[in-house]
Amino acid sequence: NAVKFQPEKGYSEVRTTRSVKAGEPITISYLSQIMSHASRRHHLWEQHRFDIGGEIGEQAYFHLEKVAKTLPPSSPHDLDTEAPTHRIETTTDQLQDYYQEACYSIVADKSPKNPVWEELKALEVSALELVQESENQLQNTEHLLLIPCLRLHIDIGDKIQIGNILNSHQHQALLCRLLVGQRRLLKLQTKLYGKNSFELAKSNLELAETIAELLQKAPKKLISMGLDGMNSFEGCSSTEYKCRREYERIKELYPRDTEEFLPKES
């Protein structure tokens, strides 16, 4: 029910992510990233020596973990490296490492001639294929492991846009791919975190900005995609506005104003 932000200026800041009743414990996650139930169970036993068990109590979360309509077996002591969830997690981590290496290269050389831009374009295709293949293997279009897959694809796409290496047609096609992924990501994040999570602020803003850019550069192409609630210019504009409003609403829930409450140094 709470999130801990990275330490800044000698202190850490914790913010609740939902209403907390009087006497209810404030809790933060032991894990820094999304994992399948089997991986969480194994990791928490290996690192902290407690077992979360083989069942998932809340029905909503159970659905987000199902593979082919059932919860995969798990163990605190052994991890099935042949399980679809483990393969997807491993591949996502590998692509994430490639992406980080590319980002480091761009910091050193931002010129369009840097060959890493072509590598990023190929990586964007690989990340999109990962989303599609993960969905096929999991047989669950709402599995929580699709969240890091979608997030990775969107981050890569955003980085490619910074390089200004695409022609108009390529850029519009990329924006359309990102739009589909951003809508899916926002839906899955809402199911996993609830509507007030700070994770949703970034996703709402990204979606709003993508819609705005497509409305400006390729409105007919955007409308022709036939997305729910976006089959007209007015529908697209309304969706953009709602996403920006949600971004501002959620942002206000995490003001990062700790310094105002700390004792002043004399």
Side-chain angles (χ1 to χ4, degrees):
N1 59 20
V3 60
K4 180 181 179 182
F5 293 102
Q6 290 295 327
E8 296 179 1
K9 301 179 181 179
Y11 60 84
S12 295
E13 183 172 343
V14 175
R15 292 278 177 182
T16 57
T17 57
R18 61 172 176 79
S19 298
V20 179
K21 298 179 181 179
E24 181 181 355
I26 301 294
T27 58
I28 60 174
S29 176
Y30 280 87
L31 306 173
S32 59
Q33 64 187 59
I34 292 175
M35 294 181 178
S36 65
H37 178 263
S39 293
R40 291 199 308 276
R41 187 179 185 189
H42 179 70
H43 175 83
L44 290 171
W45 176 259
E46 289 293 310
Q47 297 296 320
H48 304 286
R49 279 297 186 263
F50 68 83
D51 184 13
I52 61 174
E55 302 294 331
I56 297 177
E58 297 188 44
Q59 189 63 29
Y61 294 130
F62 177 77
H63 176 69
L64 295 174
E65 293 272 11
K66 289 192 298 186
V67 176
K69 300 182 179 181
T70 61
L71 180 67
S74 62
S75 166
H77 308 291
D78 301 302
L79 190 61
D80 182 3
T81 58
E82 296 301 318
T85 52
H86 181 76
R87 292 199 301 268
I88 291 167
E89 288 169 325
T90 300
T91 304
T92 304
D93 288 343
Q94 290 173 344
L95 292 183
Q96 183 69 44
D97 289 342
Y98 295 150
Y99 171 61
Q100 291 299 330
E101 290 176 8
C103 291
Y104 295 145
S105 175
I106 292 171
V107 170
D109 179 8
K110 297 181 181 178
S111 69
K113 294 182 179 180
N114 187 341
V116 78
W117 290 114
E118 292 301 316
E119 295 176 12
L120 274 175
K121 288 164 67 175
L123 194 59
E124 186 260 330
V125 174
S126 296
L128 186 57
E129 291 174 347
L130 172 62
V131 174
Q132 297 165 345
E133 182 60 26
S134 297
E135 187 175 316
N136 291 335
Q137 291 191 26
L138 296 167
Q139 299 181 47
N140 180 358
T141 59
E142 296 184 339
H143 197 283
L144 58 79
L145 287 185
L146 294 173
I147 293 176
C149 296
L150 289 163
R151 168 46 62 198
L152 176 61
H153 176 250
I154 293 166
D155 287 346
I156 295 171
D158 288 344
K159 184 64 68 173
I160 290 173
Q161 293 185 80
I162 296 174
N164 294 318
I165 57 172
L166 305 177
N167 61 38
S168 177
H169 176 74
Q170 291 172 330
H171 189 203
Q172 291 174 16
L174 174 61
L175 288 172
C176 290
R177 293 195 296 273
L178 291 177
L179 178 62
V180 173
Q182 288 163 348
R183 283 168 56 94
R184 287 196 65 190
L185 177 62
L186 189 57
K187 180 180 178 181
L188 289 176
Q189 286 178 323
T190 303
K191 287 181 176 293
L192 179 62
Y193 299 123
K195 65 180 183 179
N196 293 327
S197 170
F198 72 99
E199 297 281 357
L200 273 66
K202 178 180 179 180
S203 297
N204 271 290
L205 181 60
E206 289 174 332
L207 179 54
E209 291 178 341
T210 300
I211 294 172
E213 193 162 3
L214 280 169
L215 280 173
Q216 180 183 14
K217 297 180 178 179
K220 291 183 179 180
K221 190 167 188 175
L222 171 60
I223 295 170
S224 69
M225 293 176 69
L227 301 174
D228 290 342
M230 297 177 61
N231 54 5
S232 66
F233 189 93
E234 292 76 13
C236 294
S237 297
S238 176
T239 301
E240 179 202 348
Y241 175 75
K242 290 176 182 177
C243 289
R244 292 191 186 278
R245 286 288 302 272
E246 270 298 280
Y247 165 72
E248 294 295 340
R249 182 189 70 81
I250 297 170
K251 186 179 177 182
E252 289 180 359
L253 298 177
Y254 304 90
R256 307 301 299 275
D257 56 357
T258 300
E259 289 189 351
E260 296 180 14
F261 301 96
L262 293 176
K264 303 297 182 181
E265 294 184 5
S266 55

